[in-house]
Amino acid sequence: MADHPMMSSSNAGTVVSEAVLTQILTQLESLTISNQVLQAKVDALSSAGRPSAPVAVPINQTSSPAVTINGSFPSGSPPMTTFGLSPPATVLQRPPAQPAPVSQDREKVLYPQRVILTTYPDQTGIRPVPLNWGAQDPKVRGPVVPSRLPASIKLRNAIGAHSGSYSIYRALAIALGNLNPTHKPSYANTEPPVAIPPQPAWFDPRKIVSFDPWGHLVPQIWAEQIEAGLDIRPSIAVTKAHIKLSELDEAARKGTIKVDGTLVIKSRPILNADYTESDVDPGVELACSKAAVEPVWFLPGVAERFKISEGLLRRALFEDTGGMYPELITRPDIKVFLPPIGNLTVYIFGKPEYMSDTSKELTLRVHDECNGSDVFGSDICTCKPYLIFAIEECIRTAQRGGVGVVVYFRKEGRALGEVTKYLVYNLRKRGGDSADKYFKSTEMIAGVKDMRFQALMPDVLHWLGIQKIDNMISMSDMKYNAIVSSGIPILKRYDIPDHLIPPDSRVEIDAKIAAGYFSSTKAITQEDLAKTVGRAWEETEH
């Protein structure tokens, strides 16, 4: 009898080949997840009709009092409690408020069950979908599932919600009745038009810890589980675009960037009011590839990157977000957290496959958001001129046969936020805007001069397959040190040319150079800083 195709031909016994065994295990895992989804749906249907009797919230059954449904404490109880890790599921009845009838009816439809404040790993029915961060096979790695929908809530393996800070708008849309929370997205024709293939760093659980490297391939990899009803969503999207910037139009007119018809393309003619073509120069457009990336934190890796314990990281995230995510404390078995923050966008100029080709020249700028300058052209800092200069350098590199990359992080005001930044502006302009007071002004208001913490920043470079950087368009010592310490060498650094520095931003640049930022031409002492003074309010009409 001939050997069965699933048997090894090299052995007399019935030994299953490794490839077939992997296929069987993958199919078994898929069936297990499908069964879990079905069981979760049955559980949800079974509990939907149960009465919602008032239930107290057990916090720590040995030492802390129960919190009642109206938030009050028993007589003599302390005003603070601590979370324990062993109580059963923590539930809370809806508060006895009397909303408008329409809202009340919608609430009953949207949330027929009692409020589940948190869960515990030993709670009945809790069975998270396996998630093995850093596994080479994505099916073995497993999908990221933070969903609290009835079919997914017991299967979740992540804390938080997709879309980062925009998850709040999603919640509002659901509350207003504009969005069905069970809407099932159609991912047809959404696959990336540009390949970002797996890189060795994807399989190292220490190299990429701040987002899901498989996030752009979710609809393709886990199609069966999504079809079975498991709420799995992409956390990365990759697309193509044309960029249109007036500064680049001017650069093309001056000849500092060349129109090549491929990367730099002449724009279509401008139309007059009567729809005839104008003879005004329409400028240029840049062809590029780009990727939007949402944050997905692997907590053990993030803690290791910052050289703190995972327990401390979880406690800080819980306490200093107003207790927003109790499961950071009660679910130590869940290792992935989707924080409510913005993350990053990647812009690629030239062929994306060149990013992982060490024989090709690569130019990079890592840029942290500055809405006031990037969008509205404020002259108090160099953010926009430096960004435009970097894009031009990326174009010139691509036209030389290399590739240019700009990574744009949402870290407004050094991650202190725009409100804090504007308060600092007020202090600077009222207190004498000199370079020797630049960082001190920020510390007086924020308590720290910078909260960008660049330790997580290199993750995106490893995701793209970047192994060396020929030209780094940045003066930041923090960015340089983070990239180099992650294992990516930087061969050359560029500071911003003097002619691109707005006069009022000289305070910022000189203060940064004195603090250790890179400069190829200028050394600044502390004594020099007092001589660098910005414009006072009195010098300009407001």
Side-chain angles (χ1 to χ4, degrees):
M1 180 183 295
D3 288 340
H4 190 281
M6 291 182 64
M7 304 301 177
S8 171
S9 60
S10 61
N11 297 314
T14 56
V15 180
V16 180
S17 70
E18 183 178 350
V20 172
L21 182 59
T22 300
Q23 182 181 3
I24 292 172
L25 290 174
T26 300
Q27 291 174 346
L28 180 60
E29 182 183 351
S30 179
L31 288 172
T32 300
I33 292 174
S34 297
N35 287 337
Q36 290 176 344
V37 172
L38 290 173
Q39 183 61 49
K41 290 180 178 179
V42 171
D43 292 345
L45 291 172
S46 299
S47 60
R50 295 174 188 168
S52 297
V55 179
V57 183
I59 304 298
N60 186 320
Q61 293 178 331
T62 59
S63 61
S64 300
V67 180
T68 62
I69 58 172
N70 61 6
S72 62
F73 293 88
S75 177
S77 298
M80 297 186 67
T81 57
T82 59
F83 279 92
L85 297 182
S86 57
T90 302
V91 292
L92 180 65
Q93 187 190 28
R94 292 189 200 90
Q98 299 298 324
V102 174
S103 291
Q104 191 174 38
D105 293 343
R106 186 181 301 132
E107 183 180 358
K108 290 178 180 178
V109 172
L110 289 172
Y111 312 112
Q113 299 172 309
R114 295 172 296 176
V115 177
I116 300 174
L117 287 183
T118 192
T119 58
Y120 300 86
D122 56 354
Q123 180 184 337
T124 301
I126 294 295
R127 45 187 183 276
V129 173
L131 182 56
N132 305 292
W133 198 267
Q136 186 163 353
D137 184 340
K139 295 291 184 70
V140 175
R141 202 300 297 271
V144 174
V145 185
S147 173
R148 286 176 58 93
L149 290 176
S152 302
I153 191 165
K154 293 185 178 181
L155 309 178
R156 288 179 309 141
N157 56 20
I159 301 164
H162 281 294
S163 301
S165 57
Y166 294 99
S167 61
I168 305 302
Y169 289 101
R170 174 182 168 84
L172 185 59
I174 290 170
L176 295 175
N178 296 334
L179 175 63
N180 184 342
T182 61
H183 168 72
K184 187 174 181 179
S186 171
Y187 295 117
N189 295 321
T190 64
E191 60 272 12
V194 178
I196 305 291
Q199 303 293 330
W202 294 23
F203 318 135
D204 185 339
R206 296 169 298 178
K207 285 291 187 184
I208 301 178
V209 301
S210 60
F211 61 88
D212 178 8
W214 300 99
H216 58 309
L217 303 173
V218 163
Q220 290 77 44
I221 295 173
W222 291 288
E224 293 182 10
Q225 290 90 332
I226 293 172
E227 185 61 30
L230 194 60
D231 188 11
I232 311 172
R233 303 180 199 171
S235 57
I236 300 175
V238 182
T239 189
K240 290 183 177 181
H242 279 198
I243 293 177
K244 180 73 174 168
L245 293 168
S246 59
E247 291 86 355
L248 298 177
D249 291 340
E250 186 62 25
R253 293 185 188 110
K254 291 179 178 179
T256 55
I257 60 173
K258 305 297 182 183
V259 178
D260 57 21
T262 303
L263 179 62
V264 182
I265 305 162
K266 197 70 174 177
S267 295
R268 282 178 277 185
I270 296 171
L271 298 181
N272 296 314
D274 60 357
Y275 297 100
T276 59
E277 291 186 3
S278 170
D279 57 1
V280 174
D281 181 5
V284 297
E285 299 168 13
L286 305 183
C288 73
S289 307
K290 59 183 182 179
V293 182
E294 291 178 3
V296 178
W297 286 9
F298 178 56
L299 292 172
V302 172
E304 181 182 356
R305 194 75 63 84
F306 286 116
K307 295 180 172 56
I308 59 176
S309 69
E310 183 186 340
L312 173 57
L313 175 63
R314 286 174 174 265
R315 184 65 183 268
L317 290 171
F318 170 73
E319 296 286 359
D320 288 286
T321 58
M324 187 182 294
Y325 298 101
E327 286 168 320
L328 286 166
I329 306 300
T330 65
R331 292 297 302 275
D333 60 315
I334 294 182
K335 299 297 184 181
V336 171
F337 173 51
L338 280 63
I341 59 174
N343 204 28
L344 63 93
T345 309
V346 181
Y347 291 85
I348 305 164
F349 304 93
K351 295 183 178 180
E353 59 268 28
Y354 285 0
M355 292 186 294
S356 58
D357 185 343
T358 56
S359 70
K360 303 297 183 182
E361 182 185 7
L362 188 144
T363 294
L364 171 73
R365 174 161 177 80
V366 175
H367 188 93
D368 292 327
E369 177 183 35
C370 179
N371 182 62
S373 178
D374 297 342
V375 179
F376 292 99
S378 171
D379 70 344
I380 200 171
C381 63
T382 60
C383 296
K384 184 172 186 176
Y386 215 171
L387 177 60
I388 297 299
F389 172 68
I391 293 173
E392 290 184 21
E393 286 296 302
C394 286
I395 293 168
R396 286 188 276 269
T397 300
Q399 291 179 330
R400 289 195 296 266
V403 62
V405 179
V406 173
V407 184
Y408 193 93
F409 276 91
R410 302 315 191 278
K411 295 179 181 177
E412 178 64 61
R414 298 192 214 127
L416 300 170
E418 206 164 30
V419 169
T420 296
K421 182 165 76 171
Y422 286 9
L423 293 173
V424 171
Y425 287 170
N426 289 346
L427 174 61
R428 284 172 55 188
K429 294 304 182 182
R430 287 194 177 103
D433 189 16
S434 58
D436 60 330
K437 301 175 184 176
Y438 178 78
F439 286 116
K440 189 180 297 183
S441 297
T442 302
E443 290 174 338
M444 287 176 64
I445 294 172
V448 62
K449 68 181 182 181
D450 199 321
M451 288 200 311
R452 285 175 290 183
F453 305 125
Q454 302 291 353
L456 300 177
M457 175 268 293
D459 287 20
V460 65
L461 309 182
H462 292 291
W463 177 64
L464 295 169
I466 293 174
Q467 300 175 59
K468 58 94 180 163
I469 297 163
D470 295 276
N471 313 300
M472 177 73 175
I473 314 297
S474 174
M475 299 169 69
S476 171
D477 54 331
M478 292 180 291
K479 293 174 184 175
Y480 175 86
N481 292 337
I483 292 171
V484 171
S485 64
S486 79
I488 302 175
I490 296 174
L491 306 184
K492 183 178 180 181
R493 301 171 72 180
Y494 284 67
D495 44 0
I496 184 170
D498 272 352
H499 71 277
L500 296 179
I501 300 174
D504 199 43
S505 68
R506 190 80 249 180
V507 170
E508 173 204 47
I509 285 294
D510 285 3
K512 288 180 175 180
I513 293 172
Y517 274 48
F518 169 76
S519 174
S520 61
T521 59
K522 191 172 185 180
I524 297 177
T525 66
Q526 289 296 322
E527 291 74 21
D528 294 330
L529 294 181
K531 302 174 186 177
T532 304
V533 179
R535 181 182 63 242
W537 276 349
E538 292 76 15
E539 297 177 47
T540 306
E541 292 184 6
H542 286 278

